[in-house]
C-alpha cells in the first residue's frame, strides 16, 4: 500500500500535536500483519534523560514489550505501521480525537472534539515513578487497569498498595546476599495482586529466575490466578489450593503472608522458621487468640484502665500478639522490624512484621544466654497480661 492523503494528514496531525505539546496518546489496532500474537500497540510520550521520546508498548497475547524512539523515528515508525499492518489508528490530543481507518477501498479520518480537555502525556512524567508498571497485562486481567494500562479510578488505592509493598520488599531483598531469592511462597495469596506483582518485579527488574508459589484455600481464585499466569507467560509462577497449615515447602528463601487471619499468621511464620527462610514478611490480621486470653483471665495491671474498653483492648491485643511474634523470630536468629504498610478500604490493617535471617551464630554460652533472655521476656509478658499461651509459641514448642 502506498501513502494516501488521509495518512499524510494523520502524520501531519501527529507531528503538529507533538510539536505544540498537545499530544496525549496514540493506539494502533486491528492488526493484520504477520507477527504472531501481536494485538495492539500503545504509544505515549516520555522524558528519558530530559529528552522527549515516544514509548511504544507492543501488546501481545501473553506479554508486553516496550521500545523507545526519538520523536522523528517514532513518527516514521507509526506511519509505516499504519501503512502496512494496522487498520485503525487513534490519536488523542488535548482537545481532539482523530481516528484513521482503512475501509474496503479508502482510508478515512474521523475527527471529534472532546468535551473534557485531556492532560498531555508529559504530565505523567511528573508522577512518582513506580516499580510496577501499569502496562503489565496481568494488571488488566486482575481489573486494576484498562486495556491501555490506565489504572481504574476505583483501583487507585490497590495499585498504590501493590507498589508500596514492592518498594518495601525491594529494600529488604537488597539486605540479603545477591542471588539469595530463588524460592518464594505467598501464604494466603487471595486474588493474587501482590503475588503477580512480586513475580513481575523479581523477574523483570531483578532478573531473578525465582519460583513463586501462591497458596490459597479458595479453588475459584486458584484456578483464575493460574489461568492469568499462563496467559501472561509467567512460567515460574503457580498457585496451589490448600491452607497455610497444610502447605509444606522444603526450600524457601522468602515467605510472605499478608492479612492471614488470627493464628494463620502464626502458621505462616512457623513454616518460614522451619524452612529456615532468609526473609519472612507478614501483615497480621484479626488478633483474636491473644484477645480471648486477656479477656478470659482479666489480670489487673497498669493498663487495666485502658483495656476495660473494647477498642483499646483490641489494640493492646494486636501489639502484644505481634510483639511476641517479633521476640520469637529473634529467638530463632532473625533481625526483626515492624513497619507501616499502606492501607485501603479492603485491607485496613497496616503493620508489617519482618524477620531477616542473621548469619548463623556459633552455639556459645552467649548465644544461649541471649535466647534465655528472650524466653524470659515472653514469659513476663504473658504473666503481665494474663496470657496462657501464644499460638506461635506453642507451634514451636517454646512454652
Amino acid at each position: 500500500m502506498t501513502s494516501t492523503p488521509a495518512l499524510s494528514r494523520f502524520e501531519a496531525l501527529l507531528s503538529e500535536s507533538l510539536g505544540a505539546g498537545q499530544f496525549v496518546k496514540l493506539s494502533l489496532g486491528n492488526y493484520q500483519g504477520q507477527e504472531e500474537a501481536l494485538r495492539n500497540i500503545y504509544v505515549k510520550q516520555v522524558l528519558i534523560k530530559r529528552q522527549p521520546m515516544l514509548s511504544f508498548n507492543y501488546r501481545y497475547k501473553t506479554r508486553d514489550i516496550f521500545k523507545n524512539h526519538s520523536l522523528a523515528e517514532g513518527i516514521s515508525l507509526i506511519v509505516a505501521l499504519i501503512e502496512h499492518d494496522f487498520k485503525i489508528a487513534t490519536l488523542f490530543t488535548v482537545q481532539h480525537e482523530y481516528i484513521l481507518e482503512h475501509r474496503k477501498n479508502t482510508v478515512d479520518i474521523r475527527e471529534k472534539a472532546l468535551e473534557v480537555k485531556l492532560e498531555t502525556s508529559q504530565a505523567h512524567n511528573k508522577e512518582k515513578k513506580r516499580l510496577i508498571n501499569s502496562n503489565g497485562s496481568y494488571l488488566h486481567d486482575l481489573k486494576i487497569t484498562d486495556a491501555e494500562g490506565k489504572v481504574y479510578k476505583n483501583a487507585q488505592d490497590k495499585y498504590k498498595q501493590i507498589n508500596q509493598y514492592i518498594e518495601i520488599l525491594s529494600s529488604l531483598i537488597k539486605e540479603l546476599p545477591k542471588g539469595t531469592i530463588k524460592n518464594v511462597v505467598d501464604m494466603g495469596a487471595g486474588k493474587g495482586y501482590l503475588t503477580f506483582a512480586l513475580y513481575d518485579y523479581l523477574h523483570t527488574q531483578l532478573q531473578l529466575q525465582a519460583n513463586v508459589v501462591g497458596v490459597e484455600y479458595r479453588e475459584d481464585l486458584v484456578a483464575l490466578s493460574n489461568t492469568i499466569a499462563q496467559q501472561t507467560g509467567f512460567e515460574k509462577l503457580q498457585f496451589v489450593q490448600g491452607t497455610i497449615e497444610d502447605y509444606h515447602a522444603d526450600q524457601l528463601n522468602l515467605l510472605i503472608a499478608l492479612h492471614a487471619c488470627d493464628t494463620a499468621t502464626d502458621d505462616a511464620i512457623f513454616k518460614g522458621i522451619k524452612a529456615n527462610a532468609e526473609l519472612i514478611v507478614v501483615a497480621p490480621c484479626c488478633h483474636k487468640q491473644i484477645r480471648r486470653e486477656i479477656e478470659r483471665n482479666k489480670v489487673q495491671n497498669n493498663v487495666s484502665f485502658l483495656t476495660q474498653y473494647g477498642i483499646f483492648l483490641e489494640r493492646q491485643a494486636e501489639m502484644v500478639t505481634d510483639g511476641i511474634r517479633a521476640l520469637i523470630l529473634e529467638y530463632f536468629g532473625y533481625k526483626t522490624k515492624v513497619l507501616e504498610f499502606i492501607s485501603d478500604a479492603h485491607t485496613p490493617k497496616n503493620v508489617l512484621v519482618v524477620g531477616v535471617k542473621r548469619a548463623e551464630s556459633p552455639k556459645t554460652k552467649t548465644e544461649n544466654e541471649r535466647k534465655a533472655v528472650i524466653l524470659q521476656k515472653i514469659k513476663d509478658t504473658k504473666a503481665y497480661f494474663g496470657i496462657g499461651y501464644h499460638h506461635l509459641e506453642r507451634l514451636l514448642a517454646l512454652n
Side-chain angles (χ1 to χ4, degrees):
M1 171 187 167
T2 57
S3 181
T4 66
L7 181 55
S8 296
R9 179 168 178 255
F10 193 87
E11 180 181 4
L13 289 167
L14 173 59
S15 298
E16 289 168 6
S17 68
L18 287 165
Q22 300 289 301
F23 176 85
V24 176
K25 59 184 177 180
L26 180 142
S27 65
L28 303 177
N30 194 4
Y31 180 66
Q32 301 294 319
Q34 301 300 312
E35 193 167 354
E36 186 177 353
L38 179 60
R39 292 178 171 178
N40 301 91
I41 296 178
Y42 301 104
V43 182
K44 65 179 181 179
Q45 189 174 4
V46 296
L47 284 175
I48 299 179
K49 295 182 179 179
R50 299 185 180 181
Q51 294 297 315
M53 301 188 75
L54 290 177
S55 176
F56 286 64
N57 173 11
Y58 291 74
R59 179 68 56 82
Y60 291 80
K61 183 178 179 180
T62 60
R63 70 188 192 281
D64 292 321
I65 293 178
F66 296 88
K67 296 181 181 180
N68 298 319
H69 299 276
S70 68
L71 297 187
E73 290 173 344
I75 292 171
S76 297
L77 178 56
I78 290 168
V79 171
L81 288 167
I82 296 172
E83 195 170 14
H84 299 291
D85 298 320
F86 289 89
K87 300 303 180 183
I88 297 178
T90 305
L91 168 65
F92 285 92
T93 66
V94 171
Q95 293 182 314
H96 292 85
E97 176 185 6
Y98 302 96
I99 302 175
L100 180 147
E101 185 173 5
H102 293 264
R103 298 185 183 277
K104 286 185 178 181
N105 299 310
T106 62
V107 181
D108 299 319
I109 291 181
R110 302 195 306 274
E111 177 180 347
K112 181 173 72 174
L114 300 176
E115 295 181 3
V116 179
K117 186 177 180 180
L118 299 178
E119 289 186 347
T120 63
S121 56
Q122 286 291 326
H124 297 294
N125 292 301
K126 298 177 184 178
E127 296 177 359
K128 179 180 178 180
K129 183 178 179 181
R130 300 194 181 278
L131 293 176
I132 298 301
N133 192 300
S134 64
N135 287 311
S137 60
Y138 65 89
L139 291 172
H140 176 53
D141 293 329
L142 292 170
K143 303 189 185 310
I144 298 292
T145 64
D146 62 19
E148 295 185 8
K150 182 178 180 180
V151 180
Y152 290 121
K153 186 173 292 186
N154 64 357
Q156 292 286 341
D157 286 342
K158 178 60 68 176
Y159 180 61
K160 291 176 183 176
Q161 182 195 52
I162 290 169
N163 273 280
Q164 186 178 12
Y165 158 80
I166 296 300
E167 288 171 10
I168 292 171
L169 278 179
S170 173
S171 64
L172 294 171
I173 290 171
K174 288 177 182 177
E175 294 184 24
L176 303 174
K178 189 175 181 180
T180 295
I181 304 300
K182 297 176 182 177
N183 294 286
V184 180
V185 176
D186 182 359
M187 297 287 196
K191 294 182 180 178
Y193 298 116
L194 304 181
T195 326
F196 277 97
L198 178 57
Y199 182 95
D200 185 11
Y201 175 71
L202 292 174
H203 282 252
T204 304
Q205 299 205 34
L206 297 188
Q207 300 295 307
L208 297 176
Q209 294 302 307
N211 296 298
V212 179
V213 176
V215 180
E216 172 54 42
Y217 184 72
R218 290 163 288 185
E219 291 185 8
D220 57 331
L221 295 184
V222 172
L224 174 63
S225 297
N226 276 325
T227 297
I228 295 174
Q230 291 168 7
Q231 292 175 346
T232 311
F234 287 178
E235 297 177 355
K236 291 182 175 290
L237 172 62
Q238 66 168 317
F239 292 81
V240 299
Q241 192 277 328
T243 64
I244 295 173
E245 184 180 8
D246 292 337
Y247 183 79
H248 178 73
D250 291 321
Q251 296 182 326
L252 179 58
N253 309 114
L254 168 57
L255 179 139
I256 57 178
L258 303 188
H259 307 111
C261 189
D262 197 20
T263 56
T265 293
D266 296 315
D267 293 333
I269 296 173
F270 172 72
K271 296 290 184 180
I273 290 174
K274 283 300 183 181
N276 205 32
E278 283 83 358
L279 180 58
I280 298 172
V281 182
V282 298
C285 182
C286 308
H287 305 64
K288 297 177 182 178
Q289 186 254 318
I290 291 300
R291 175 170 178 164
R292 285 194 294 266
E293 289 286 302
I294 295 174
E295 288 179 316
R296 180 183 301 114
N297 296 300
K298 293 183 172 59
V299 170
Q300 293 298 306
N301 55 37
N302 292 338
V303 295
S304 295
F305 75 99
L306 290 175
T307 54
Q308 65 179 309
Y309 303 106
I311 185 64
F312 291 149
L313 174 59
E314 180 180 351
R315 293 175 182 175
Q316 187 69 71
E318 291 176 5
M319 288 189 290
V320 173
T321 302
D322 294 336
I324 294 177
R325 284 167 174 161
L327 284 172
I328 292 174
L329 281 166
E330 288 181 12
Y331 177 88
F332 284 97
Y334 287 85
K335 179 175 67 175
T336 59
K337 303 178 184 181
V338 178
L339 308 172
E340 192 170 50
F341 185 43
I342 194 170
S343 61
D344 65 15
H346 303 291
T347 52
K349 305 296 181 181
N350 59 354
V351 168
L352 280 177
V353 178
V354 176
V356 181
K357 190 70 174 177
R358 299 177 186 271
E360 285 196 25
S361 303
K363 303 299 181 182
T364 63
K365 182 179 180 180
T366 302
E367 173 66 6
N368 292 332
E369 288 176 348
R370 183 189 72 82
K371 287 189 171 184
V373 169
I374 293 173
L375 290 179
Q376 188 61 48
K377 285 181 181 179
I378 294 172
K379 181 179 179 181
D380 292 345
T381 301
K382 291 193 300 177
Y384 185 79
F385 288 101
I387 298 169
Y389 75 99
H390 188 293
H391 186 67
L392 180 59
E393 175 193 36
R394 179 169 287 183
L395 287 173
L396 292 161
L398 292 180
N399 62 338

